[in-house]
């Protein structure tokens, strides 16, 4: 077992619009690794390829070439169980209440797993109780405990983001992949997400998240991956990137001016 | 298997809570009541009008569900990206697509059973009940064939186009035999060959179209009934397999 939860090697992806359009290469030989039990930030300008990279990792879009390994294996049903994912601007099933939504995602996440079989060894009632307990805990964690019985269609943007985060956490994953988890949140919401990520990190969960908010990255991350125009230009320790600079923002700005970015 | 069941259940709940389903149910009830009214106006044809109009209403209602909900069921997931959360879970794309398929199929079945029971209430004739169940299965299989085509097409083309293709396929399956007369009149061997090919690749709904008072009163031969189920199941399997194949390769951007 390597020390990395995700390893990406020479990933290439291009898109073609209409048949008369030229193929556009969005990811160019992208290689990076996400260390175990650490928080990794994924940073880059708009359109630099962050979301495309994440979508390639989870096979929502298919790579042209390259290798992607999760826990030293290609993505499969078994290692998907260890992953919690939150997309950018999550659209959720609005016909569900918060409770129904989390119950649905919990059941999907543990269906057919050993974890689920272990739980069924007690009794059916115990498993339901266990699930309800987990749902209550996670709702409490994201501050939605009072909205448990409300339909998601009545939720604000910030509340939907929290519910999305809750579904990523409900099955207690080993790896969290979050695409812009702080976007659309008010200062309280951002603070809450940061606290949750810190808490998960303490538990030894590996976290990989993309963001534009360099201040938050600096506060949360140990490792940094920087992408620019589809190419990885930095993949190492955050402190190393920031050496000689008082903040990540200044380091980023300086390196941009240096035309490094 | 459990994941597929969970997705089917969620799809069923989603569709039941949508306005479209309620509108279709209300229109269907209205049309069945209208056929009772029309039946009462005729002196000796009460049962025929009630059966023909009522059964046609049931088929159109289910077809409406298959076309309107079926063409958007996957497209909406991709457009709103709600499928991303599900596909990140330990389920395959095939399980997702088939789960969505069964969610709507179950709703169509429920809609059919409800309307058929309503129609049977007005017949008040227990001897037709068994035949009406056979006709119900026939309607169900036909609309499921159309739905599986619409689902497959909605993976590759816009939902409006898949809806139109689905409707055309339904009409093509029912009306292709009407061309037979003109083909015979023309006496052109090339056109006859073309017609035979066209007829072979059509779902031949017209051969197994049992929604009339005749089939309600006469019993449908069991062999024919079993053949109908097998034949339409093959069409469903073909379209579902194509849908899964295409969806497995689709980039969800």
């Amino acid at each position: 077992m390597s020390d990395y939860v995700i390893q990406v090697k020479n990933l290439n992806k291009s898109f073609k619009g209409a048949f008369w359009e030229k193929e556009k290469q969005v990811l160019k030989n992208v290689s990076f690794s996400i260390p175990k039990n650490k928080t990794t930030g994924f940073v880059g300008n708009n359109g630099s390829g962050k979301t495309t990279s994440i979508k390639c990792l989870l096979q929502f879009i298919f790579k042209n070439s390259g290798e992607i390994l999760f826990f030293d294996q290609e993505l499969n049903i078994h290692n998907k169980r260890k992953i919690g994912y939150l997309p950018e601007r999550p659209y959720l099933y609005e016909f569900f209440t918060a409770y129904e939504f989390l119950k649905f995602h919990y059941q999907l996440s543990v269906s057919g797993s050993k974890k689920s079989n272990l739980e069924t060894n007690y009794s059916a009632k115990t498993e339901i109780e266990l699930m309800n307990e987990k749902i209550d805990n996670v709702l409490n964690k994201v501050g939605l405990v009072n909205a448990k019985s409300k339909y998601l269609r009545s939720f604000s943007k910030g509340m939907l983001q929290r519910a999305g985060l809750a579904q990523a956490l409900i099955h207690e994953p080993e790896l969290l992949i979050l695409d812009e988890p702080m976007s659309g949140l008010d200062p309280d919401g951002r603070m809450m997400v940061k606290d949750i990520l810190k808490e998960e990190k303490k538990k030894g969960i590996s976290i990989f998240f993309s963001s534009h908010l360099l201040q938050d990255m600096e506060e949360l991350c140990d490792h940094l991956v920087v992408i620019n125009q589809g190419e990885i230009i930095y993949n190492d320790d955050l402190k190393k990137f920031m050496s000689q600079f008082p903040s990540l923002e200044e380091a980023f700005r300086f390196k941009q001016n240096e035309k490094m970015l | 298997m459990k994941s597929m069941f969970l997705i089917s259940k969620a799809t069923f709940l989603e569709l039941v809570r949508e306005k479209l389903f309620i509108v279709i149910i209300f229109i269907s009830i209205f049309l069945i009541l209208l056929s009772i009214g029309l039946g009462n106006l005729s002196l000796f044809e009460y049962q025929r009008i009630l059966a023909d109009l009522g059964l046609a209403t049931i088929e159109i209602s289910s077809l409406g569900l298959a076309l309107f909900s079926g063409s958007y069921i996957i497209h909406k997931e991709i457009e709103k990206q709600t499928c991303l959360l599900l596909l990140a879970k330990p389920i395959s794309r095939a399980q997702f697509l088939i789960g969505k398929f069964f969610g709507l199929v179950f709703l169509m079945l429920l809609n059919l059973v409800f309307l058929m029971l309503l129609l049977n209430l007005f017949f008040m004739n227990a001897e037709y009940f068994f035949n009406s169940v056979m006709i119900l299965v026939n309607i169900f299989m036909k609309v499921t064939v159309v739905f599986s085509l619409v689902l497959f097409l909605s993976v590759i083309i816009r939902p409006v186009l898949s809806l139109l293709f689905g409707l055309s396929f339904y009409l093509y399956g029912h009306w292709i035999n009407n061309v037979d007369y003109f083909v015979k009149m023309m006496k052109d061997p090339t056109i006859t060959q073309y017609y035979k090919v066209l007829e072979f690749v059509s779902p031949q709904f017209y051969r197994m179209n049992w929604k009339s008072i005749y089939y309600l009163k006469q019993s449908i031969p069991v062999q024919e009934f079993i053949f109908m189920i097998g034949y339409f199941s093959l069409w469903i399997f073909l379209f579902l397999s194509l849908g899964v194949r295409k969806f497995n390769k689709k980039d969800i951007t």
Side-chain angles (χ1 to χ4, degrees):
Chain A
M1 282 282 277
S2 73
D3 292 333
Y4 298 102
V5 282
I6 304 176
Q7 293 170 78
V8 180
K9 289 169 197 163
N10 302 320
L11 177 65
N12 285 291
K13 177 68 191 173
S14 51
F15 287 111
K16 201 172 185 308
F19 69 91
W20 62 85
E21 284 174 19
K22 254 183 134 182
E23 209 167 72
K24 191 186 171 199
Q25 190 155 11
V26 183
L27 299 177
K28 300 161 195 164
N29 280 320
V30 165
S31 298
F32 62 89
S33 335
I34 309 300
K36 203 181 267 179
N37 307 332
K38 287 189 176 174
T39 301
T40 303
F42 194 28
V43 69
N45 294 329
N46 284 336
S48 57
K50 295 189 298 295
T51 299
T52 305
S53 301
I54 292 176
K55 284 186 171 179
C56 266
L57 293 183
L58 293 165
Q59 294 179 354
F60 301 143
I61 53 179
F62 296 100
K63 63 191 181 197
N64 295 123
S65 62
E67 189 181 29
I68 302 165
L69 300 176
F70 282 87
F71 307 97
D72 300 324
Q73 285 179 331
E74 291 235 340
L75 189 66
N76 56 43
I77 297 284
H78 303 292
N79 55 26
K80 266 184 176 181
R81 286 202 178 91
K82 300 179 187 174
I83 302 169
Y85 167 67
L86 174 70
E88 186 184 8
R89 293 189 301 272
Y91 288 97
L92 314 175
Y93 284 149
E94 294 179 343
F95 55 91
F96 273 149
T97 63
Y99 171 77
E100 286 172 337
F101 173 70
L102 291 175
K103 183 182 162 191
F104 173 58
H105 280 279
Y106 176 79
Q107 287 177 327
L108 267 185
S109 303
V110 301
S111 63
S113 70
K114 282 179 187 167
K115 204 175 177 180
S116 173
N117 293 338
L118 270 177
E119 287 162 11
T120 48
N121 279 345
Y122 299 99
S123 70
K125 198 182 171 192
T126 316
E127 190 172 10
I128 292 167
E129 278 176 356
L130 204 96
M131 181 183 72
N132 286 338
E133 202 180 299
K134 280 185 180 177
I135 292 173
D136 286 338
N137 284 345
V138 84
L139 281 173
N140 201 26
K141 199 180 265 185
V142 298
L144 287 177
V145 80
N146 294 327
K148 188 178 171 179
S149 314
K150 284 186 183 165
Y151 281 101
L152 295 186
R153 74 171 79 95
S154 66
F155 277 26
S156 67
K157 199 179 165 191
M159 285 166 88
L160 285 173
Q161 187 84 357
R162 290 175 195 208
L165 188 60
Q167 68 73 36
L169 295 167
I170 187 78
H171 58 295
E172 295 168 355
E174 290 176 35
L175 165 67
L176 271 176
I177 300 177
L178 314 170
D179 195 359
E180 305 275 359
M182 263 84 94
S183 74
L185 291 179
D186 54 24
D188 280 349
R190 265 174 63 192
M191 196 87 84
M192 186 209 65
V193 172
K194 280 197 277 184
D195 288 342
I196 291 170
L197 295 186
K198 282 177 191 168
E199 202 182 306
E200 295 302 312
K201 188 182 165 184
K202 267 186 206 163
K203 286 187 203 163
I205 309 288
S206 313
I207 301 166
F208 176 50
F209 77 99
S210 69
S211 180
H212 287 110
L213 307 164
L214 298 176
Q215 224 177 352
D216 296 337
M217 286 245 169
E218 193 183 330
E219 197 181 330
L220 295 165
C221 298
D222 312 292
H223 192 90
L224 188 71
V225 178
V226 184
I227 189 167
N228 185 46
Q229 291 180 354
E231 286 176 279
I232 297 292
I233 54 167
Y234 187 82
N235 171 36
D236 209 335
D237 206 71
L238 175 84
K239 280 179 189 157
K240 216 164 139 186
F241 187 78
M242 282 175 59
S243 59
Q244 301 166 4
F245 297 97
S247 70
L248 178 60
E249 206 171 326
E250 284 190 40
F252 207 78
R253 199 178 298 158
F254 179 81
K255 284 173 184 177
Q256 257 183 330
N257 289 341
E258 255 192 344
K259 290 184 183 170
M260 185 190 161
L261 296 181
Chain B
M1 200 64 184
K2 196 186 171 190
S3 326
M4 230 155 70
F5 169 73
L6 288 168
I7 291 170
S8 296
K9 198 175 136 190
T11 307
F12 176 78
L13 277 177
E14 176 188 10
L15 295 168
V16 162
R17 290 174 189 180
E18 264 183 11
K19 279 176 196 156
L20 177 71
F21 175 64
I22 298 160
V23 169
I24 286 179
I25 281 280
F26 271 108
I27 292 174
S28 309
I29 293 172
F30 171 75
L31 287 174
I32 286 180
L33 294 177
L34 188 74
S35 57
I36 295 161
L38 287 174
N40 281 329
L41 286 177
S42 63
L43 282 174
F44 306 108
E45 299 287 341
Y46 173 72
Q47 277 198 336
R48 196 177 70 82
I49 288 177
L50 187 56
D52 291 356
L53 263 175
L55 291 172
T57 299
I58 291 172
E59 183 161 319
I60 291 167
S61 158
S62 302
L63 185 71
L65 263 180
L67 291 174
F68 288 101
S69 296
S71 55
Y72 280 91
I73 202 168
I74 293 293
H75 183 265
K76 200 167 66 179
E77 290 272 352
I78 296 172
E79 198 69 16
K80 285 190 165 184
Q81 307 232 320
T82 40
C83 61
L84 297 189
L85 289 182
L86 304 188
L87 294 175
K89 297 279 185 295
I91 61 162
S92 65
R93 288 190 178 207
Q95 283 174 318
F96 172 77
L97 193 89
I98 296 169
K100 298 292 292 180
F101 171 79
F102 279 112
L104 181 54
V105 161
F106 188 62
L107 184 74
M108 288 191 317
L109 187 63
L110 206 74
N111 174 52
L112 272 171
V113 171
F114 169 72
L115 294 176
M116 195 58 105
L117 284 176
L118 188 72
L119 195 63
N120 266 289
L121 268 182
F122 295 106
F123 269 116
M124 299 290 183
N125 199 337
E127 66 180 281
Y128 299 153
F129 185 75
F130 184 68
N131 284 354
S132 72
V133 171
M134 286 176 117
I135 294 172
L136 183 141
V137 174
N138 172 248
I139 294 174
F140 172 70
M141 292 304 288
K142 277 197 285 183
V143 289
T144 309
V145 169
V146 177
F147 166 48
S148 54
L149 169 75
V150 166
L151 188 78
F152 155 56
L153 290 175
S154 71
V155 175
I156 44 178
I157 53 174
R158 296 203 166 271
V160 177
L161 285 175
S162 69
L163 186 152
L164 289 174
F165 270 113
L167 183 63
S168 312
F169 184 74
Y170 173 80
L171 298 175
Y172 168 54
H174 274 101
W175 291 346
I176 183 73
N177 63 322
N178 294 344
V179 186
D180 187 43
Y181 171 76
F182 299 104
V183 171
K184 278 177 185 159
M185 291 277 284
M186 287 166 93
K187 290 175 185 164
D188 184 334
T190 319
I191 291 177
T192 311
Q193 278 304 106
Y194 274 128
Y195 168 71
K196 278 183 180 167
V197 172
L198 275 175
E199 198 199 12
F200 182 74
V201 297
S202 85
Q204 303 184 11
F205 290 144
Y206 69 91
R207 284 185 196 272
M208 288 158 273
N209 189 15
W210 300 334
K211 49 178 195 305
S212 70
I213 188 73
Y214 175 79
Y215 290 102
L216 208 57
K217 286 184 172 172
Q218 309 290 315
S219 62
I220 299 156
V222 179
Q223 295 99 315
E224 230 175 281
F225 182 73
I226 293 169
F227 174 78
M228 180 273 296
I229 292 180
Y231 176 74
F232 288 144
S233 299
L234 277 176
W235 277 99
I236 296 166
F237 178 75
L238 172 76
F239 290 139
L240 261 188
S241 310
L242 289 171
V244 167
R245 208 180 140 84
K246 276 285 162 198
F247 192 57
N248 272 337
K249 290 178 182 169
K250 191 175 177 69
D251 275 346
I252 303 166
T253 48

